[in-house]
Amino acid sequence: MKPVIGERMPEQITRLGGGLMNDTFKVSSRGESWVLRVFSQGAEVVAKEAALLEMVKGHVPVAAPVHVDLGSAYTISPFIAGDRLVDTLHAATTAQQLGHTAGQTLGRIHHFSFNAIGFFDANLDVPKPLGGVGEVWRSYLATCLFEGRSGQRMGEDLLAHTWKFVGENGSRLDALDDDYRLIHADYKPTNLLVADGQISAVLDWEFAWSGCKLFDIGQLFRWEHRYPPDFHQGFEAGYREEQDLPHDWLALARALDLLNLVGFLDDAEDRPVLFSDVLTLIQRQLESTL
């Protein structure tokens, strides 16, 4: 903390919840507070996240770092007050407003476009393009289902149902090619801070990549059946203020989210509670999608 607070001693250090990959602490001194974020993945991820936050600040509410240390893999950012969206979502009088601000904020993230699908390097280039939307979707699902652990954990019936779905609907995802945007890739209620009814900060950018904007929407609406119905309406209105949406946007987004759900089942660790939830979600997605 010395690069920011100098010789002052921190008066209070509190571990913050949220992301599982990194350690995050609130550090306070003389009425000011900062967030110390220690990365487990190394310097390139630190550089990538810092570059992303620098790029989007002014367009998207974020806590851009005031100090970046690549050698020790940490950043220091201003502390931004707010409650996590997951903790405020079910207030009956605010669901539509929260949906609106979540949609508008995501639409602003998706203003940033790139030339290919793939993962960023520290300079926000995409050195290894992955292919088209439908191509990547089919290839990744096939790998998890038939070469990885996912298919075995599904069982024969759900595996067959899932692969039939992939064969019948992949061409609809092919139509989403040539429009590649900044994807937050962890845009969910635990990573959105809310203050005065508006998103005050979007947290945890380390998974961001270039892809189809509906990917983020599918992730956000994964647990839609637990959200107040007004949230959906507010989200669509807010998002459409910033971006176009196809008429079947939610169905396509759910299909894209199968990448995440099937990928969870390929985890090397046996996680029965997670797997049970994921299997229920996959069945729900297949029944309600396209």
Side-chain angles (χ1 to χ4, degrees):
M1 292 298 298
K2 188 173 181 179
V4 176
I5 66 174
E7 298 302 324
R8 285 185 284 168
M9 290 295 294
E11 296 168 359
Q12 186 175 23
I13 300 175
T14 307
R15 181 184 289 272
L16 299 175
L20 300 178
M21 295 292 292
N22 306 304
D23 292 318
T24 307
F25 304 89
K26 178 183 178 183
V27 181
S28 301
S29 178
R30 297 184 185 176
E32 297 182 275
S33 295
W34 298 267
V35 173
L36 170 65
R37 187 163 159 82
V38 183
F39 290 73
S40 63
Q41 307 104 309
E44 185 167 354
V45 174
V46 178
K48 182 190 82 168
E49 181 166 300
L52 283 165
L53 293 173
E54 183 65 27
M55 180 178 73
V56 305
K57 72 178 185 181
H59 302 274
V60 179
V62 294
V66 296
H67 180 75
V68 177
D69 189 314
L70 298 181
S72 299
Y74 74 85
T75 61
I76 303 173
S77 305
F79 175 78
I80 296 179
D83 299 312
R84 293 181 186 267
L85 179 63
V86 68
D87 298 321
T88 61
L89 187 55
H90 292 279
T93 58
T94 62
Q96 186 165 357
Q97 181 181 357
L98 292 175
H100 186 278
T101 186
Q104 188 178 60
T105 300
L106 185 58
R108 290 173 179 169
I109 291 172
H110 292 163
H111 274 288
F112 297 90
S113 60
F114 298 87
N115 294 324
I117 291 179
F119 300 103
F120 298 125
D121 62 15
N123 299 313
L124 303 187
D125 294 322
V126 181
K128 297 180 180 179
L130 297 178
V133 176
E135 177 187 358
V136 171
W137 187 71
R138 285 185 292 263
S139 175
Y140 182 77
L141 289 174
T143 298
C144 290
L145 292 172
F146 300 110
E147 298 178 25
R149 307 169 185 84
S150 303
Q152 292 180 339
R153 286 170 171 156
M154 278 185 170
E156 292 184 6
D157 289 346
L158 185 55
L159 172 59
H161 188 189
T162 302
W163 192 242
K164 181 174 183 288
F165 176 87
V166 172
E168 291 175 346
N169 295 290
S171 62
R172 299 187 68 176
L173 299 182
D174 290 330
L176 301 175
D177 282 344
D178 302 320
D179 184 18
Y180 309 132
R181 305 299 180 101
L182 172 61
I183 304 303
H184 181 272
D186 209 13
Y187 196 82
K188 55 191 181 183
T190 53
N191 284 332
L192 303 176
L193 291 185
V194 176
D196 299 323
Q198 299 294 318
I199 300 297
S200 59
V202 181
L203 309 176
D204 293 357
W205 289 78
E206 69 264 31
F207 300 118
W209 57 299
S210 169
C212 175
K213 59 190 181 184
L214 295 176
F215 182 92
D216 275 336
I217 297 176
Q219 187 172 46
L220 178 63
F221 279 89
R222 182 181 300 159
W223 298 98
E224 181 196 11
H225 56 287
R226 296 183 178 178
Y227 297 171
D230 287 351
F231 181 84
H232 179 148
Q233 300 165 11
F235 173 87
E236 182 172 3
Y239 190 86
R240 287 189 184 276
E241 291 179 6
E242 304 291 334
Q243 299 285 332
D244 293 332
L245 281 172
H247 70 92
D248 52 351
W249 61 272
L250 186 53
L252 292 167
R254 287 173 178 148
L256 281 170
D257 195 43
L258 282 177
L259 286 175
N260 288 313
L261 297 177
V262 171
F264 291 148
L265 293 177
D266 197 33
D267 197 311
E269 182 181 347
D270 189 23
R271 305 173 69 182
V273 175
L274 172 66
F275 295 159
S276 177
D277 288 342
V278 167
L279 291 170
T280 300
L281 282 169
I282 290 173
Q283 189 66 54
R284 181 185 295 273
Q285 301 288 56
L286 296 179
E287 291 172 353
S288 62
T289 302
L290 303 183

